[in-house]
Amino acid sequence: QPHTPTPCTVRDSAKRSLAPPFPPGGVAAAMIFLFVIDTGGSMNQATQRGISLLDSAKSAVEHFLKIRTKDPASRLDKYLLVTCRKVVVGWNRNAKDFVEEVKMLNAFDLSSMSRCLDLAFGLLNKYRNIPVHRAQGIDTFGLGRWPRFVEPSAIVVLTDGHLEDEEQDFLTQKQFEALMATPSRLKHRFCKTRNRWDQRVYPLVLQFPGVKYPGAKPPKPSRPHPLLRVAAEATAGKVYIHRNLRSLLGNMENIVAKLSPGFACRFECVGAGRSHTDLVVLQAKPRTGHWPIPEAYLPVSNMTRLPLRDAIPLLSYKPKNVPVAHLNLGSIPADTYELVQGSLAIRIVQQKARWPVYVKNSLGDEKLGKPFGLLMCDEQSKKAVLRVLPYDFPMLAEIVSVATPGRQETEVKTLLKRYTSSIPPYYISSLRQFFVRMGLFCEFPPEN
């Protein structure tokens, strides 16, 4: 039965062999860093400094750990390691094991990055939806997408870019999605692809020259393999090309500084003459928040299986400000997520926006549905934010304004009944507790 999901906070001793070292969605600010290190034979190439590309990659990982451990939140981090051959450091290993395994790596494999990414996403998703102590997992399929349960992960790829994968097979994002498609043989398939909205891919391409070029400019860096490019674009990551070790170590510091818990969404502008989409990363604090982002379908009791979900949600917005009266929700809270700086964030701040946000087909009618939040400029920080509210908040604001002393109780109950029967069922549990606090009582529809 759909209800407000709760993360697993205690590991069940009876399921110790299934549970990861820390509970999914149950830590305050943990980041998961999965390093994919290319162990292909070409990584043995010596650079002009006399060390191999593989040793340069090892130095970069060591520098990353040195910078990251200065952050007090890093004590909750988890480090995983994948090579071209296999998973080297999994969930049952600690940071000390990770460091030792990195030091012992050798380069003698075939550089198949498609296999590496398949291993990486399979490892990250291994425990996302194992129910322990009635936890629903952190993906909460069929119950809306809850930013409070994100498990922020960064896949850092260190490679020289000489891959065995055919370039023509990975020229577009659709080809990458086909690679990441959830295997049809799996009994429980809920997502179209294996990547998730809280997982970023950062390929770092090591194009170090092997000889010095005295008195002449070194050749320009070559374009990275298209698989690296589309993997980064599809997950809101970024490709970095490095020509020397100093540049690589410096970029490691930048990545550490920029990485923060968050999730990605696609924002589609509708009703403005032309439609365009922005892929945006939003910052989130795990285990904080009250409301989900709606599913792109309406779960009903007679469903035999749930429709497949997109890895990254598509949110639609109308560039027209909503009335301020629609934001008067009394003591009902709102969740705020800051947009990482980009063209959409700049437009929101410049236009002082209050744009309503929707998820198409959230009511199962193939239409835009009702708004569940706002893209707006935060008054205090002056930054662009996504403010997530209860579904169809304009109607809820009308109910709050009507529910004043002296009003007929039957009138308020009628409005509440009409409202609760017209929203997705996974909002009911959260709304019920806030209605009780506000002294609003009504018969709620069954949550199943």
Side-chain angles (χ1 to χ4, degrees), residues 12 21 75 100 145 200 209 259 277 305 315 376 411 440:
D12 190 343
R75 62 185 180 85
E100 292 300 321
R145 300 176 190 252
R200 312 275 83 75
L259 286 179
T277 304
R305 64 181 303 169
L315 312 183
M376 60 186 299
E411 180 184 357
L440 302 176

Side-chain angles (χ1 to χ4, degrees), residues 93-104:
R93 309 283 293 278
N94 55 35
K96 183 178 179 181
D97 295 335
F98 172 83
V99 173
E100 292 300 321
E101 291 290 353
V102 169
K103 292 179 180 179
M104 295 171 60

Side-chain angles (χ1 to χ4, degrees), residues 401-426:
S401 65
V402 169
T404 56
R407 289 278 187 170
Q408 292 291 332
E409 184 178 350
T410 56
E411 180 184 357
V412 177
K413 283 187 175 182
T414 301
L415 289 174
L416 281 172
K417 185 176 181 180
R418 188 177 70 182
Y419 172 72
T420 55
S421 61
S422 64
I423 63 176
Y426 42 81

Side-chain angles (χ1 to χ4, degrees), residues 2 142-143 295 297-301 303 306 362 424-426:
L143 302 174
E295 299 279 8
Y297 56 86
L298 183 67
V300 293
S301 58
M303 277 185 172
L306 294 175
S362 55
Y426 42 81

Side-chain angles (χ1 to χ4, degrees), residues 160-404:
D160 62 350
H162 298 296
L163 309 180
E164 298 294 327
D165 309 276
E166 294 291 339
E167 292 193 6
Q168 61 268 22
D169 293 340
F170 305 102
L171 297 177
T172 66
Q173 189 170 317
K174 288 186 177 180
Q175 290 173 306
F176 174 76
E177 292 175 354
L179 169 66
M180 290 290 102
T182 306
S184 58
R185 67 178 182 274
L186 296 183
K187 182 179 180 181
H188 301 291
R189 298 177 65 218
F190 301 108
C191 198
K192 293 179 181 178
T193 56
R194 304 187 72 177
N195 59 302
R196 299 291 186 266
W197 68 336
D198 51 4
Q199 298 168 351
R200 312 275 83 75
V201 178
Y202 296 94
L204 309 183
V205 185
L206 283 56
Q207 295 187 2
F208 298 178
V211 296
K212 294 183 179 180
Y213 293 87
K217 291 184 179 180
K220 294 182 179 180
S222 59
R223 296 182 62 184
H225 193 285
L227 174 55
L228 302 175
R229 176 181 55 80
V230 296
E233 292 176 354
T235 60
K238 186 177 180 181
V239 180
Y240 298 91
I241 299 178
H242 300 285
R243 298 291 287 168
N244 53 63
L245 183 58
R246 177 181 295 180
S247 169
L248 176 61
L249 299 183
N251 195 47
M252 280 295 186
E253 297 179 10
N254 294 334
I255 291 178
V256 171
K258 292 179 180 179
L259 286 179
S260 61
F263 56 94
C265 292
R266 298 184 187 277
F267 288 92
E268 176 191 33
C269 181
V270 296
R274 62 185 183 90
S275 177
H276 59 273
T277 304
D278 297 277
L279 178 59
V280 181
V281 175
L282 298 96
Q283 297 181 359
K285 295 181 179 179
R287 299 196 68 185
T288 61
H290 307 86
W291 312 109
I293 292 175
E295 299 279 8
Y297 56 86
L298 183 67
V300 293
S301 58
N302 60 355
M303 277 185 172
T304 57
R305 64 181 303 169
L306 294 175
L308 294 180
R309 175 197 278 181
D310 288 324
I312 298 179
L314 177 62
L315 312 183
S316 304
Y317 67 92
K318 293 181 178 180
K320 183 179 180 181
N321 288 354
V322 301
V324 177
H326 289 174
L327 305 182
N328 182 21
L329 300 178
S331 60
I332 295 179
D335 304 331
T336 301
Y337 306 103
E338 181 183 333
L339 277 68
V340 173
Q341 190 70 5
S343 58
L344 177 60
I346 293 174
R347 293 201 304 271
I348 292 172
V349 173
Q350 290 178 344
Q351 300 182 31
K352 298 181 179 180
R354 288 195 312 274
W355 299 336
V357 185
Y358 309 78
V359 171
K360 289 182 179 179
N361 197 43
S362 55
L363 294 178
D365 55 5
E366 302 295 334
K367 297 181 180 179
L368 202 57
K370 301 296 182 180
F372 72 91
L374 293 169
L375 283 173
M376 60 186 299
C377 178
D378 185 72
E379 295 180 357
Q380 296 181 349
S381 64
K382 304 301 180 182
K383 294 182 178 180
V385 299
L386 170 65
R387 186 153 292 173
V388 179
L389 299 160
Y391 195 85
D392 196 4
F393 60 88
M395 183 176 181
L396 184 58
E398 178 185 349
I399 295 173
V400 171
S401 65
V402 169
T404 56

